[in-house]
Structure formats: C-alpha cells, structure tokens
Amino acid sequence: MQYQADGWGYYVASGRCMGGGDPLERVARLASESAVVVFSVSSCCMCHAVKRLFCGMGVNPTMYELDHDPMGNDIERALMRLLGNSTPLPVVFIGGKLIGGMDRVMASHITGSLVPLLKEAGALWL
C-alpha cells in the first residue's frame, strides 16, 4: 500500500488496495488498517471540514478520496448501505468502528466524546 503524506493526513493510492472483493468487505478492511480513516471526495466542503477538524486536533487520518479511485463508486454505494442514506460523505471510522458522517463527528466533538474515542484508538495521546 502506498501513502502520500501532506498537511492533511495520509492519502492512500487506492487503486491497488481497493481492488477485488465485496465492497462492504473492502470498507471493513480499509477502515481497520489505521486509527482514523475518512472516506471522502476531494471536492466536498464537508469532507474538507472533517479533515481540518482532525488535523487541527493533531490527528493524521488516512484519507480515501473516492473520486480518485476507479472503484470509488462501489465503495460509496457500500457506505450508503452502511449509513442508510443517500449522501454519506465524508464517512469516518475510528479504531475500525463506524462513527458516521460529518453530523455524527461534530456531535461527538461538541459533547466531548470524540477525544476519548481518538485516544482509545491510538490516534491521539494528549
């Protein structure tokens, strides 16, 4: 698996790592490979906001930009099935567990439950 680091976390060169298999199985596998995983689209403002939130907290999420992946549509449909709605992006997993979309991440942040999740997953130490 190849990673490209930048100021926003790690972007995965997803063509190779996402190929083959059931999309839901791929989502589960990819979500469990890093402490914080975000499935997003590069042009989405809400995806950008969740990236900014994590990076501002000192967390380096692994980003899967679905619009840069030939299998991205299959992954997006699998994420829609998991969330049960038609606009799933961004979708955040922490410690391999589905947190949800931007609304769930922000609600967790506001209530103070996001930091303990990040600490438990090993993404945040302070």
Side-chain angles (χ1 to χ4, degrees), residues 70-92:
M71 306 296 277
N73 289 333
D74 294 335
I75 297 296
E76 188 170 355
R77 280 190 292 275
L79 292 168
M80 280 192 267
R81 283 187 284 173
L82 283 175
L83 293 177
N85 66 28
S86 60
T87 55
L89 300 175
V91 176
V92 176

PDB file of all heavy atoms in Angstrom, residues 70-92:
ATOM      1  N   PRO A  70     -10.775   4.182  -9.211  1.00  0.00           N
ATOM      2  CA  PRO A  70     -11.683   3.586 -10.198  1.00  0.00           C
ATOM      3  C   PRO A  70     -12.806   2.769  -9.557  1.00  0.00           C
ATOM      4  O   PRO A  70     -13.853   2.570 -10.169  1.00  0.00           O
ATOM      5  CB  PRO A  70     -10.779   2.697 -11.057  1.00  0.00           C
ATOM      6  CG  PRO A  70      -9.523   2.545 -10.292  1.00  0.00           C
ATOM      7  CD  PRO A  70      -9.409   3.701  -9.359  1.00  0.00           C
ATOM      8  N   MET A  71     -12.633   2.312  -8.340  1.00  0.00           N
ATOM      9  CA  MET A  71     -13.665   1.545  -7.627  1.00  0.00           C
ATOM     10  C   MET A  71     -14.441   2.425  -6.650  1.00  0.00           C
ATOM     11  O   MET A  71     -15.217   1.926  -5.838  1.00  0.00           O
ATOM     12  CB  MET A  71     -13.009   0.392  -6.855  1.00  0.00           C
ATOM     13  CG  MET A  71     -12.138  -0.507  -7.703  1.00  0.00           C
ATOM     14  SD  MET A  71     -13.071  -1.371  -8.960  1.00  0.00           S
ATOM     15  CE  MET A  71     -13.661  -2.705  -7.976  1.00  0.00           C
ATOM     16  N   GLY A  72     -14.249   3.723  -6.714  1.00  0.00           N
ATOM     17  CA  GLY A  72     -14.849   4.649  -5.761  1.00  0.00           C
ATOM     18  C   GLY A  72     -16.365   4.600  -5.710  1.00  0.00           C
ATOM     19  O   GLY A  72     -16.955   4.711  -4.633  1.00  0.00           O
ATOM     20  N   ASN A  73     -17.022   4.424  -6.852  1.00  0.00           N
ATOM     21  CA  ASN A  73     -18.489   4.363  -6.865  1.00  0.00           C
ATOM     22  C   ASN A  73     -19.000   3.153  -6.097  1.00  0.00           C
ATOM     23  O   ASN A  73     -20.010   3.244  -5.387  1.00  0.00           O
ATOM     24  CB  ASN A  73     -19.029   4.353  -8.294  1.00  0.00           C
ATOM     25  CG  ASN A  73     -18.865   5.688  -8.969  1.00  0.00           C
ATOM     26  OD1 ASN A  73     -18.818   6.730  -8.322  1.00  0.00           O
ATOM     27  ND2 ASN A  73     -18.773   5.673 -10.287  1.00  0.00           N
ATOM     28  N   ASP A  74     -18.327   2.019  -6.226  1.00  0.00           N
ATOM     29  CA  ASP A  74     -18.721   0.820  -5.479  1.00  0.00           C
ATOM     30  C   ASP A  74     -18.563   1.039  -3.975  1.00  0.00           C
ATOM     31  O   ASP A  74     -19.430   0.649  -3.191  1.00  0.00           O
ATOM     32  CB  ASP A  74     -17.885  -0.388  -5.901  1.00  0.00           C
ATOM     33  CG  ASP A  74     -18.141  -0.811  -7.335  1.00  0.00           C
ATOM     34  OD1 ASP A  74     -19.247  -0.530  -7.851  1.00  0.00           O
ATOM     35  OD2 ASP A  74     -17.239  -1.424  -7.937  1.00  0.00           O
ATOM     36  N   ILE A  75     -17.460   1.652  -3.585  1.00  0.00           N
ATOM     37  CA  ILE A  75     -17.220   1.933  -2.168  1.00  0.00           C
ATOM     38  C   ILE A  75     -18.267   2.911  -1.652  1.00  0.00           C
ATOM     39  O   ILE A  75     -18.807   2.734  -0.553  1.00  0.00           O
ATOM     40  CB  ILE A  75     -15.794   2.493  -1.953  1.00  0.00           C
ATOM     41  CG1 ILE A  75     -14.746   1.468  -2.351  1.00  0.00           C
ATOM     42  CG2 ILE A  75     -15.605   2.952  -0.518  1.00  0.00           C
ATOM     43  CD1 ILE A  75     -14.747   0.211  -1.527  1.00  0.00           C
ATOM     44  N   GLU A  76     -18.589   3.943  -2.426  1.00  0.00           N
ATOM     45  CA  GLU A  76     -19.590   4.921  -1.992  1.00  0.00           C
ATOM     46  C   GLU A  76     -20.957   4.260  -1.803  1.00  0.00           C
ATOM     47  O   GLU A  76     -21.661   4.536  -0.830  1.00  0.00           O
ATOM     48  CB  GLU A  76     -19.679   6.067  -2.989  1.00  0.00           C
ATOM     49  CG  GLU A  76     -20.559   7.194  -2.509  1.00  0.00           C
ATOM     50  CD  GLU A  76     -20.468   8.434  -3.371  1.00  0.00           C
ATOM     51  OE1 GLU A  76     -19.653   8.498  -4.301  1.00  0.00           O
ATOM     52  OE2 GLU A  76     -21.237   9.367  -3.095  1.00  0.00           O
ATOM     53  N   ARG A  77     -21.339   3.367  -2.702  1.00  0.00           N
ATOM     54  CA  ARG A  77     -22.616   2.649  -2.556  1.00  0.00           C
ATOM     55  C   ARG A  77     -22.607   1.772  -1.299  1.00  0.00           C
ATOM     56  O   ARG A  77     -23.599   1.676  -0.586  1.00  0.00           O
ATOM     57  CB  ARG A  77     -22.906   1.815  -3.799  1.00  0.00           C
ATOM     58  CG  ARG A  77     -23.468   2.646  -4.945  1.00  0.00           C
ATOM     59  CD  ARG A  77     -23.986   1.767  -6.076  1.00  0.00           C
ATOM     60  NE  ARG A  77     -22.934   1.052  -6.778  1.00  0.00           N
ATOM     61  CZ  ARG A  77     -22.214   1.557  -7.777  1.00  0.00           C
ATOM     62  NH1 ARG A  77     -22.430   2.792  -8.189  1.00  0.00           N
ATOM     63  NH2 ARG A  77     -21.269   0.848  -8.360  1.00  0.00           N
ATOM     64  N   ALA A  78     -21.475   1.141  -1.013  1.00  0.00           N
ATOM     65  CA  ALA A  78     -21.368   0.323   0.201  1.00  0.00           C
ATOM     66  C   ALA A  78     -21.504   1.196   1.453  1.00  0.00           C
ATOM     67  O   ALA A  78     -22.165   0.805   2.417  1.00  0.00           O
ATOM     68  CB  ALA A  78     -20.032  -0.430   0.210  1.00  0.00           C
ATOM     69  N   LEU A  79     -20.900   2.367   1.414  1.00  0.00           N
ATOM     70  CA  LEU A  79     -21.011   3.291   2.550  1.00  0.00           C
ATOM     71  C   LEU A  79     -22.449   3.769   2.723  1.00  0.00           C
ATOM     72  O   LEU A  79     -22.936   3.902   3.854  1.00  0.00           O
ATOM     73  CB  LEU A  79     -20.062   4.480   2.357  1.00  0.00           C
ATOM     74  CG  LEU A  79     -18.576   4.147   2.431  1.00  0.00           C
ATOM     75  CD1 LEU A  79     -17.743   5.313   1.935  1.00  0.00           C
ATOM     76  CD2 LEU A  79     -18.176   3.735   3.840  1.00  0.00           C
ATOM     77  N   MET A  80     -23.147   4.011   1.619  1.00  0.00           N
ATOM     78  CA  MET A  80     -24.559   4.403   1.698  1.00  0.00           C
ATOM     79  C   MET A  80     -25.381   3.309   2.367  1.00  0.00           C
ATOM     80  O   MET A  80     -26.258   3.595   3.175  1.00  0.00           O
ATOM     81  CB  MET A  80     -25.122   4.692   0.306  1.00  0.00           C
ATOM     82  CG  MET A  80     -24.755   6.047  -0.223  1.00  0.00           C
ATOM     83  SD  MET A  80     -25.722   6.474  -1.676  1.00  0.00           S
ATOM     84  CE  MET A  80     -24.644   5.921  -2.967  1.00  0.00           C
ATOM     85  N   ARG A  81     -25.087   2.047   2.036  1.00  0.00           N
ATOM     86  CA  ARG A  81     -25.804   0.936   2.674  1.00  0.00           C
ATOM     87  C   ARG A  81     -25.525   0.901   4.172  1.00  0.00           C
ATOM     88  O   ARG A  81     -26.427   0.642   4.969  1.00  0.00           O
ATOM     89  CB  ARG A  81     -25.425  -0.397   2.046  1.00  0.00           C
ATOM     90  CG  ARG A  81     -26.111  -0.618   0.700  1.00  0.00           C
ATOM     91  CD  ARG A  81     -25.856  -2.002   0.196  1.00  0.00           C
ATOM     92  NE  ARG A  81     -24.487  -2.041  -0.325  1.00  0.00           N
ATOM     93  CZ  ARG A  81     -23.851  -3.130  -0.728  1.00  0.00           C
ATOM     94  NH1 ARG A  81     -24.441  -4.298  -0.648  1.00  0.00           N
ATOM     95  NH2 ARG A  81     -22.636  -3.060  -1.206  1.00  0.00           N
ATOM     96  N   LEU A  82     -24.279   1.160   4.562  1.00  0.00           N
ATOM     97  CA  LEU A  82     -23.939   1.157   5.986  1.00  0.00           C
ATOM     98  C   LEU A  82     -24.661   2.266   6.744  1.00  0.00           C
ATOM     99  O   LEU A  82     -25.121   2.060   7.863  1.00  0.00           O
ATOM    100  CB  LEU A  82     -22.428   1.337   6.174  1.00  0.00           C
ATOM    101  CG  LEU A  82     -21.548   0.138   5.917  1.00  0.00           C
ATOM    102  CD1 LEU A  82     -20.083   0.536   6.040  1.00  0.00           C
ATOM    103  CD2 LEU A  82     -21.877  -0.979   6.898  1.00  0.00           C
ATOM    104  N   LEU A  83     -24.729   3.439   6.131  1.00  0.00           N
ATOM    105  CA  LEU A  83     -25.323   4.593   6.806  1.00  0.00           C
ATOM    106  C   LEU A  83     -26.822   4.708   6.600  1.00  0.00           C
ATOM    107  O   LEU A  83     -27.495   5.408   7.349  1.00  0.00           O
ATOM    108  CB  LEU A  83     -24.651   5.884   6.331  1.00  0.00           C
ATOM    109  CG  LEU A  83     -23.198   6.058   6.720  1.00  0.00           C
ATOM    110  CD1 LEU A  83     -22.641   7.332   6.122  1.00  0.00           C
ATOM    111  CD2 LEU A  83     -23.038   6.067   8.225  1.00  0.00           C
ATOM    112  N   GLY A  84     -27.337   4.069   5.561  1.00  0.00           N
ATOM    113  CA  GLY A  84     -28.764   4.123   5.298  1.00  0.00           C
ATOM    114  C   GLY A  84     -29.251   5.455   4.773  1.00  0.00           C
ATOM    115  O   GLY A  84     -30.393   5.834   4.983  1.00  0.00           O
ATOM    116  N   ASN A  85     -28.396   6.213   4.096  1.00  0.00           N
ATOM    117  CA  ASN A  85     -28.844   7.464   3.472  1.00  0.00           C
ATOM    118  C   ASN A  85     -28.145   7.663   2.134  1.00  0.00           C
ATOM    119  O   ASN A  85     -27.298   6.885   1.752  1.00  0.00           O
ATOM    120  CB  ASN A  85     -28.631   8.662   4.401  1.00  0.00           C
ATOM    121  CG  ASN A  85     -27.167   8.957   4.667  1.00  0.00           C
ATOM    122  OD1 ASN A  85     -26.296   8.678   3.859  1.00  0.00           O
ATOM    123  ND2 ASN A  85     -26.889   9.528   5.817  1.00  0.00           N
ATOM    124  N   SER A  86     -28.521   8.726   1.446  1.00  0.00           N
ATOM    125  CA  SER A  86     -28.013   8.899   0.085  1.00  0.00           C
ATOM    126  C   SER A  86     -26.812   9.838  -0.021  1.00  0.00           C
ATOM    127  O   SER A  86     -26.240   9.961  -1.078  1.00  0.00           O
ATOM    128  CB  SER A  86     -29.133   9.413  -0.814  1.00  0.00           C
ATOM    129  OG  SER A  86     -29.594  10.648  -0.340  1.00  0.00           O
ATOM    130  N   THR A  87     -26.431  10.507   1.053  1.00  0.00           N
ATOM    131  CA  THR A  87     -25.285  11.413   0.998  1.00  0.00           C
ATOM    132  C   THR A  87     -24.305  11.065   2.121  1.00  0.00           C
ATOM    133  O   THR A  87     -24.274  11.727   3.151  1.00  0.00           O
ATOM    134  CB  THR A  87     -25.721  12.887   1.127  1.00  0.00           C
ATOM    135  OG1 THR A  87     -26.487  13.030   2.325  1.00  0.00           O
ATOM    136  CG2 THR A  87     -26.532  13.324  -0.068  1.00  0.00           C
ATOM    137  N   PRO A  88     -23.515  10.020   1.934  1.00  0.00           N
ATOM    138  CA  PRO A  88     -22.722   9.512   3.042  1.00  0.00           C
ATOM    139  C   PRO A  88     -21.404  10.225   3.305  1.00  0.00           C
ATOM    140  O   PRO A  88     -20.798   9.979   4.333  1.00  0.00           O
ATOM    141  CB  PRO A  88     -22.438   8.071   2.615  1.00  0.00           C
ATOM    142  CG  PRO A  88     -22.338   8.159   1.135  1.00  0.00           C
ATOM    143  CD  PRO A  88     -23.374   9.197   0.743  1.00  0.00           C
ATOM    144  N   LEU A  89     -20.931  11.026   2.403  1.00  0.00           N
ATOM    145  CA  LEU A  89     -19.560  11.515   2.531  1.00  0.00           C
ATOM    146  C   LEU A  89     -19.484  12.847   3.264  1.00  0.00           C
ATOM    147  O   LEU A  89     -20.321  13.705   3.033  1.00  0.00           O
ATOM    148  CB  LEU A  89     -18.926  11.629   1.148  1.00  0.00           C
ATOM    149  CG  LEU A  89     -18.865  10.307   0.395  1.00  0.00           C
ATOM    150  CD1 LEU A  89     -18.341  10.515  -1.006  1.00  0.00           C
ATOM    151  CD2 LEU A  89     -18.041   9.278   1.130  1.00  0.00           C
ATOM    152  N   PRO A  90     -18.517  12.984   4.129  1.00  0.00           N
ATOM    153  CA  PRO A  90     -17.473  12.026   4.500  1.00  0.00           C
ATOM    154  C   PRO A  90     -18.020  10.950   5.435  1.00  0.00           C
ATOM    155  O   PRO A  90     -19.006  11.161   6.124  1.00  0.00           O
ATOM    156  CB  PRO A  90     -16.465  12.901   5.244  1.00  0.00           C
ATOM    157  CG  PRO A  90     -17.291  13.965   5.886  1.00  0.00           C
ATOM    158  CD  PRO A  90     -18.397  14.241   4.892  1.00  0.00           C
ATOM    159  N   VAL A  91     -17.337   9.817   5.448  1.00  0.00           N
ATOM    160  CA  VAL A  91     -17.649   8.747   6.385  1.00  0.00           C
ATOM    161  C   VAL A  91     -16.388   8.481   7.186  1.00  0.00           C
ATOM    162  O   VAL A  91     -15.316   8.283   6.622  1.00  0.00           O
ATOM    163  CB  VAL A  91     -18.118   7.470   5.664  1.00  0.00           C
ATOM    164  CG1 VAL A  91     -18.349   6.346   6.666  1.00  0.00           C
ATOM    165  CG2 VAL A  91     -19.383   7.744   4.878  1.00  0.00           C
ATOM    166  N   VAL A  92     -16.533   8.482   8.510  1.00  0.00           N
ATOM    167  CA  VAL A  92     -15.388   8.384   9.410  1.00  0.00           C
ATOM    168  C   VAL A  92     -15.455   7.087  10.207  1.00  0.00           C
ATOM    169  O   VAL A  92     -16.507   6.729  10.744  1.00  0.00           O
ATOM    170  CB  VAL A  92     -15.365   9.591  10.369  1.00  0.00           C
ATOM    171  CG1 VAL A  92     -14.235   9.470  11.383  1.00  0.00           C
ATOM    172  CG2 VAL A  92     -15.252  10.894   9.582  1.00  0.00           C
TER     173      VAL A  92
END
